[in-house]
Amino acid sequence: MERNERSTPVPGKEKEVDIINIKGIEDIGYVQPDSILLNCLTPEENTGCQHGLYFQDGERRVDYILTYHIKKPSSSRSNRQSSRFTDNAFTRSIRRGTARLGRAPTPQPRGDPEVASQDHSMDYHVDDKRLHREEFEGNLRDMGMELEKDEDTKTPGVGFVKIHAPWHVLCREAEFMKLKMPTKKVYEMKQSTGVGAKINTLVNKATEPLYPNVEDNRTHNVKHLSYMFSREKQHLFDLSDRDSFFDSKTRASIVFEVLKRTKCTKAKYSMGFTSLLGSGVYTDAYPLHDGDLDGENIEPNDRKLLYEEWASYSVFYKYQPIGLVRKYFGEKIGLYFAWLGLYTQMLIPASLVGVIVFLYGCATVDDNIPSMEICHPKNNITMCPLCDRACSYWKLKEACGTARASHLFDNPATVFFSIFMALWAAMFMEHWKRRQMRLNYEWDLTGFEEEEEELKDHPRAEYELRVMQKSLKKEHKTQKTEKEKLTCKDRLPAYMTNVVMMLLMIGVTFAIVFGVILYRISTKTALHMSNNPTTRSNVRLTVKTTAAIINLVVILILDEVYGAVARWLTVLEVPKTDKSFEERLIFKTFILKFVNAFTPIIYIAFFRGRLVGRPGSYLYVFESYRMEECAHGGCLMELCIQLSITMLGKQLIQNNLFEIGIPKLKKLIRYIKSKRRSFQEEEREKKLQRYETDHFLEPFAGLTPEYMEMIIQFGFVTLFVASFPLAPLFALLNNIIEIRLDAKKFVAELRRPVAARAKDIGIWYNLLRAVAKVAVIINAFVISFTSDFIPRLVYQYMYSPDGSMHGFVNHTLSYFNVSNFQDGKEPMDPQHQVEMCRYKDYREPPWSNTPYVISKEFWAVLAARLAFVIVFQNVVMLMSDIVDWLIPDIPKDISLQIHKEKILMVELFMKEEQGKIQFIDSMMPCGGKEKRNNHAPIARSRSIPHTHSHTHANNF
């Protein structure tokens, strides 16, 4: 045997594990020494492993974990240990090598032949997975990775593969991934001067208690110049401590990239890492958390610091340590929490203005003339029945409470608040773009877009698997020499899935809304027939509240169903890249959940009460259910009730039940499945390794549920804010808890996700802009058609004799002769005899030449409403565009710093070239120097254009 070192020794390390290659056996890889295998059996005896964060030598850090299922032996613990001695890496490699040479492996001795025959097919399946694992792990070793297995853990049935990336692999992959790393060059960041700087200093001093006690969150006046890592330019970087140069987040992302590129090629078709996970060869894959959160003698680590300064509810009033979040979880998750924090901060002024608008309605309710007229004791207006037969005539003053409550949300201040929220949304978007650009500069992501364009076309593993399966199906017919491509016959086109989604959305959503309508109509009729006077007096409130709760339950259920349907439709499309898959999934999920959440609200706002008809000629469903109408105060109060119940219910139930209860329940189920209670008492007392503890955590499922929840909330805050000015306040209170809840979930409840680079929030920003634009139109229609704002203005300036609101209620009521009721539709037991009843509409009276025909007042109000929609929409959007134009996307100081970095980078390379020339001059003899000077213009002419190109780019 020959021993060859496969890894570069790290300076400062006294102990280095050699990697053994065995010649004569094809592709066996390295075999760990028996001493390491023996130490793997008793990890608790090795204090250098730090509870699973390092290999058994105590020096090589575990960068990634792969888990796989192992067959539970029927023997005792001692038999497991003895089998581990004999079936070590060497014997497994021998078996693999003989299998490749065409010889069957030596059969293992079996016990009971009957049991062996029963498990024969299962053993073949298990052996197939084992061979896949051995080949994949051998390929990983060929890529330079170092592996260590542990099958004798306190988690029965689970084997662990620990992966370590040595220094030379980290350097190679960092150069391939174009990672920007800090150089030795440090420069001073330019500080602003003048009045603005003094104000900023005072603000920083005043808000100093709000900052977390984290080093990464403090403002620094100096910054390291960053450059894409290159093995040829390692002298530019500070490599005095190689162990900390690449942090744990970066090491895990590098290993993950290697895993994605590694394939098993000796199977029927090539299997990538994702395919191995999906087929059960490996059951899980995850990087490790840095350390424990509680216990004795816990060393300081970023995870514990995040738990104390970010995930604790006691620091809810403090800013988030975004720099530390990015350092531990990566840029993509860091951007999400930065966006969530900014959104929550921007909700503070919106909440204050919303509370002021609500208090204004409370203060002016006693001065509101229309509600005073309705509630006046001398008001003796008799209204037409609210339903057929069971309902009787009623007095308008009975709607006093509804009219007064409607004024709280239907007053002139709500128009101002709608305009304010439209401008608020525009300022939020611009503020986020500036914040995002600042983070890109601080996190060295300014040149990431070009790198992303190069990497985004990498095919997904599922796409390649489908291509290979298609090739295998045609293999027996014709031999293919080029790679197949999936056609429309092999995958469902995007337009077809969108059609299926639209049909499903329209069918299910309208069926639910129609069902709730039937429930409201039938319940209202049944309650009116009750003998209890209290029940009859609270019919409207009972029906509104119960219907809103039913809608909430249906929305929560359909949210989960629609999420699964969106993923199923996206899988049918077989997108080629991960980016395409994610964007299509997000779009479908957003459309389905958005329509699911807002369809009942849209029905109440724009359709309910407008398809009713009139007394004597009502519209009916199934010829027996009369369409429901709004209360006299309008549908705005019912809209407010539906909005508040839906918004608060989704936040409380989804946040508390789905985000807290379900992960804890899944964790409990995993513990039960592992049958840890069957351990012996001595094993139960032993501490689990870090990779075993993380195995029981919930896998990270992506940021889509987090973003989706906030985008839907953003819709509640902006779309119907004219009817519910307290929505920003409830959203603010929810988000204060949501930030800490998500933080605790990421730090303590979830496995550590693989860090992903991103310079923006992607498609979510486009969805936010779309919601903000739609909000302007919807609020215009809510003010114009749902509220009585426009009818009040039309009456005050066109029909009022004294320019006041006196007589407005009588102006909006039409007359109906009770003798014109259809047969069988009049009240069965009228409480008193009437000849005329009133109903809310603009129609001619029965004594006119054209009875019950729409009057000219209706057309005047309709024209005013449409005019208001056009004017409001264009004015608000123009103001939003002005805000967008006035606020630059890139802060001026950041733009200057980026320009300065480019100049410093050019100067750094110029000095490097000059240093090389001086070094060559000092090493060469005089004759050679004169000879080199003769060729110096040529050498200089080669470097000058390159320098000028950089300078030209900087000036540009």
Side-chain angles (χ1 to χ4, degrees), residues 4 36 150 160 207 213 265 385 408 421 426 462 497 503 505 509 534 577 585 603 689 747 783 839 849 915 937:
N4 299 324
I36 297 179
D150 189 0
F160 296 88
T207 58
N213 299 322
T265 58
L408 301 178
M421 289 302 296
E462 291 81 356
T497 58
L503 293 176
M505 180 177 61
T509 304
T534 305
T577 62
L585 176 62
Y603 163 73
Q689 299 294 305
V747 174
I783 295 172
Y839 61 99
N849 295 329

Side-chain angles (χ1 to χ4, degrees), residues 196-210:
K198 294 180 179 179
I199 295 176
N200 192 29
T201 302
L202 293 176
V203 171
N204 289 335
K205 289 183 178 179
T207 58
E208 188 174 358
L210 301 180

Side-chain angles (χ1 to χ4, degrees), residues 724-834:
F724 191 37
L726 294 180
L729 176 62
F730 289 125
L732 174 63
L733 297 177
N734 173 80
N735 287 3
I736 292 175
I737 302 174
E738 177 75 16
I739 290 177
R740 308 303 164 181
L741 182 67
D742 284 348
K744 187 174 183 180
K745 181 173 66 175
F746 272 80
V747 174
E749 301 291 337
L750 295 179
R751 293 175 187 165
R752 187 176 184 178
V754 178
R757 289 182 295 171
K759 66 179 301 182
D760 52 40
I761 60 176
I763 192 176
W764 298 109
Y765 181 79
N766 298 330
L767 295 178
L768 282 171
R769 288 189 65 88
V771 171
K773 296 294 183 183
V774 173
V776 176
I777 302 174
I778 287 184
N779 280 302
F781 277 95
V782 168
I783 295 172
S784 181
F785 286 89
T786 308
S787 71
D788 285 336
F789 177 74
I790 299 301
R792 287 196 297 262
L793 287 181
V794 171
Y795 174 79
Q796 184 175 2
Y797 293 104
M798 292 183 62
Y799 299 104
S800 176
D802 53 358
S804 67
M805 293 302 297
H806 290 286
F808 170 73
V809 174
N810 186 67
H811 177 75
T812 59
L813 297 177
S814 299
Y815 291 89
F816 177 73
N817 193 330
V818 298
S819 61
N820 294 328
F821 269 123
Q822 297 177 351
D823 293 338
K825 304 298 182 182
E826 67 277 359
M828 292 186 300
D829 187 18
Q831 298 178 358
H832 44 271
Q833 297 295 326
V834 295

Side-chain angles (χ1 to χ4, degrees), residues 513 516-517 520 543-549 551-552 555 597-611 628-631 634-646 720 723 781-782 785-787:
V513 172
V516 175
I517 292 173
R520 295 166 70 107
V543 173
K544 294 175 188 175
T545 307
T546 55
I549 293 175
N551 270 324
L552 171 63
I555 287 172
F598 290 101
T599 298
I601 300 173
I602 292 174
Y603 163 73
I604 295 176
F606 303 127
F607 296 99
R608 188 177 175 210
R610 309 188 189 283
L611 305 174
E628 54 184 349
E629 54 187 303
C630 296
C635 287
L636 202 66
M637 189 60 194
E638 298 182 27
L639 179 61
C640 178
I641 293 175
Q642 181 68 53
L643 271 170
S644 59
I645 291 179
T646 304
F720 294 92
S723 61
F781 277 95
V782 168
F785 286 89
T786 308
S787 71

Side-chain angles (χ1 to χ4, degrees), residues 340 343-344 347-348 350-351 424 647-648 651 655 710 713-714 716-718 724 726-738:
L340 181 58
Y343 172 49
T344 304
L347 283 174
I348 296 176
S351 302
W424 172 87
M647 181 179 180
L648 295 179
Q651 291 180 351
N655 289 356
M710 290 296 105
Q713 185 200 85
F714 184 77
F716 282 112
V717 169
T718 56
F724 191 37
L726 294 180
L729 176 62
F730 289 125
L732 174 63
L733 297 177
N734 173 80
N735 287 3
I736 292 175
I737 302 174
E738 177 75 16

